[in-house]
Amino acid sequence: MSYYPDEIIEEVRLSNDLVEVVSEYIRLEKKGGGYFGLCPFHKEKTPSFHVEPVRQFYYCFGCNQGGNVFHFIMNIENVSFPDAVKMLADRAGIVLPEPDDKEEQQKIRLRKKILEANKAAARFYFSCLASEKGKKALKYLYDRGLSNRIIKRFGLGYAPDEWSILSDYLLKEGFDEYVIIQSGLAIKGRSGKLIDRFRGRVIFPIFDIRGNVVAFGGRVLDDSLPKYINSPETPCYSKGRELFGLHLAKKSSEKKLLIVEGYMDVISLHQAGIDFAVASLGTALTSMQGRLLKKYADEVILGYDSDNAGQKATERGIEVLNRIGCRVKVLQVPDGKDPDEFIRKNGPEKFKMLIDRAISLLEYKINVLKNTYPPDNEEGRLNFLNGVADLLTEVENFMEREIIIRKISGTYGISEDALHAEVDRRLKQKQRKEKTTEFYSARKELTGPAKTPQLHKNENIRVRYEKMLLALLSRENRLYHMAAERYPASDYSDGELREMAGILYEKLKNGEDFVLEQYISRLASEKASSLIHISETFCNFDEPEKALEDILEKLEILKLEEEKRIF
């Protein structure tokens, strides 16, 4: 359903070039008339994700996802169509009118109320920290080395150890009980009364990139468990979409961001003058957080702890950031200390030196190989060198490759020529593989008569040919007279396709153009992907007239067969 007028939706679509939008999420390479990259919707090693700049379509030959810029944002950001329109309107500087859908208006009002409640809660927690009730919490923060200035900058607070002190305050301030529950600040007890989620904890407000308080984290003052509790997912908050401290770090004069694990790490780093530190909310970095990092930094430094969980988080972070084309380095803190602990013991200057010495992604991967295959025996050395050769095939910079080969050669007693030869052999093998992948066979344009398309699950052959007909007519508007006469809109067996045919035929009858990339904005992702799939893989004909005749003949036969079964 469209919540905004069609002309506004089309203005937003035309104002957001698909190549530019996709490039903010993945690395694209120009090949021929299109752009290709690794699909963000499924794992793959060979690029099968195609962006067509002229028609403003994207399509993946691997997972069959496709659509226009709205579908891309909906799928990659996991948002609804109205939210995708809003995001792209913001990007293009277009002011949207109030949506005409009542349900959507209610959602907007609820989100606004939740943000207001969160803001009131943050102020309440901050005031409690400065009161008699917060003395113990304030001492805890002072003992952790925090100053009043940094406490105020991050808006830290305290939730008194009382059952409903915040809820009672918010109700008194005029907030509805439903809003307080939806914000995650309280739950309803068995008695029907509200119970505060955070009690007896230091409070860390979580801000979005615009500076709105969207959630909270709470830490106990002793060693009791759970040490931390956090806001649940709400209409305003998803932990996979936010980064703690980014609203401040984005203002840093540095062109880099340091990502660490905890709230206290970020706050200590900012106090130490390292104002480009952020934290993922939960150990593993998500793709959405990775894209935020890329948007605000030229370089991302991973500074997770060195324990098992931290190493896994580093590996995950490398995978996510490398996939979207970030320049990545890895911070190595000695003795397994976290940043907060290291700074308190050694001071900020020594930590800044660690940042300057952060190792490249390649060096980190080589270090992992060293730990996996100790060089104290022949088998270990051979496995290590084979692993290095694999890594070097992924390095595009010849100078970086040369430096590593020289270093490894000297350390492991192997000639540079031998290592070069092995890397070259693997590169040629990799190139041969790429040339024979499914991607290259899939993107070959089909010619001649219409071929029988493969069916999706639960889709009958007549519906499939109807999609082919509409996709072909969208490309070749001039052929609609023949189609409209032999297969009118009323003949379409699928309701959505019947509606699409009616619009297409009416537009072409009146001398207007029908643009598929505009029309699919109305459709759900699955339906749009199906139409793009057919348009891209079955409708590139050398002789469109013959293909149309073939499709119409098949549809007429299928229609007759269905009518016979009925009677």
Side-chain angles (χ1 to χ4, degrees), residues 248-263:
L248 298 174
K250 71 172 185 175
K251 301 171 187 173
S252 172
S253 59
E254 300 282 349
K255 293 295 183 182
K256 56 191 172 190
L257 287 170
L258 169 64
I259 182 162
V260 293
E261 283 188 21
Y263 303 129

Side-chain angles (χ1 to χ4, degrees), residues 329-553:
K329 285 190 174 180
V330 179
L331 180 73
Q332 295 184 304
V333 182
D335 305 321
K337 291 182 172 62
D338 60 41
D340 177 38
E341 186 183 0
F342 183 92
I343 287 172
R344 280 189 283 139
K345 186 174 180 181
N346 302 285
E349 292 309 314
K350 285 195 175 178
F351 192 84
K352 288 175 185 176
M353 288 169 64
L354 291 180
I355 293 174
D356 292 336
R357 292 202 296 263
I359 61 175
S360 70
L361 181 55
L362 181 59
E363 288 175 291
Y364 174 79
K365 288 181 176 180
I366 289 173
N367 285 345
V368 170
L369 280 175
K370 281 179 184 174
N371 294 330
T372 308
Y373 304 113
D376 53 4
N377 61 72
E378 199 70 31
E379 186 182 1
R381 279 198 299 275
L382 186 59
N383 285 332
F384 170 76
L385 290 169
N386 279 323
V388 169
D390 279 335
L391 288 177
L392 291 175
T393 62
E394 299 171 11
V395 177
E396 294 178 5
N397 189 303
F398 287 103
M399 290 182 289
E400 187 179 8
R401 196 188 299 170
E402 189 68 27
I403 289 167
I404 295 297
I405 285 176
R406 283 186 184 176
K407 193 183 289 185
I408 297 297
S409 171
T411 307
Y412 283 82
I414 183 173
S415 72
E416 291 180 29
D417 287 344
L419 200 46
H420 268 298
E422 184 58 26
V423 172
D424 289 342
R425 186 184 72 80
R426 289 171 191 241
L427 276 169
K428 286 174 184 173
Q429 191 178 47
K430 184 180 175 184
Q431 287 164 359
R432 282 196 302 271
K433 239 183 199 179
E434 286 177 353
K435 286 180 181 177
T436 55
T437 59
E438 181 185 349
F439 162 65
Y440 287 97
S441 59
R443 69 178 275 240
K444 285 180 183 175
E445 294 189 346
L446 302 178
T447 57
K451 299 189 177 183
T452 304
Q454 294 178 338
L455 291 174
H456 282 309
K457 193 178 178 182
N458 300 326
E459 182 178 66
N460 70 47
I461 189 70
R462 183 177 170 188
V463 170
R464 195 69 163 155
Y465 273 111
E466 287 174 349
K467 287 180 182 177
M468 283 186 75
L469 176 58
L470 290 173
L472 178 57
L473 292 176
S474 298
R475 280 176 174 257
E476 304 287 345
N477 284 183
R478 61 192 172 79
L479 300 177
Y480 105 92
H481 289 289
M482 182 178 173
E485 187 179 324
R486 289 176 55 181
Y487 204 78
S490 57
D491 280 1
Y492 284 75
S493 57
D494 178 270
E496 282 192 7
L497 297 180
R498 196 181 307 124
E499 181 186 353
M500 178 178 173
I503 293 168
L504 185 148
Y505 290 174
E506 186 64 25
K507 274 182 172 285
L508 299 181
K509 180 184 173 184
N510 295 331
E512 300 175 47
D513 291 332
F514 181 89
V515 183
L516 184 60
E517 53 267 38
Q518 175 183 348
Y519 180 81
I520 60 170
S521 298
R522 297 165 166 264
L523 303 180
S525 291
E526 187 179 346
K527 189 79 76 173
S529 294
S530 179
L531 282 168
I532 298 280
H533 168 68
I534 290 171
S535 177
E536 293 293 282
T537 57
F538 289 99
C539 293
N540 298 326
F541 303 112
D542 283 344
E543 299 179 273
E545 291 84 356
K546 287 184 180 179
L548 178 63
E549 178 64 36
D550 195 34
I551 293 169
L552 288 171
E553 279 183 12

Side-chain angles (χ1 to χ4, degrees), residues 122-160:
R123 286 177 171 170
F124 176 80
Y125 289 139
F126 184 78
S127 67
C128 287
L129 182 65
S131 73
E132 190 67 26
K133 292 177 187 288
K135 266 189 175 180
K136 192 176 174 183
L138 194 57
K139 182 180 182 303
Y140 167 82
L141 294 174
Y142 287 159
D143 290 344
R144 293 292 298 264
L146 300 189
S147 66
N148 283 325
R149 182 174 171 272
I150 204 73
I151 289 169
K152 185 177 181 181
R153 191 176 187 207
F154 278 86
L156 305 188
Y158 175 64

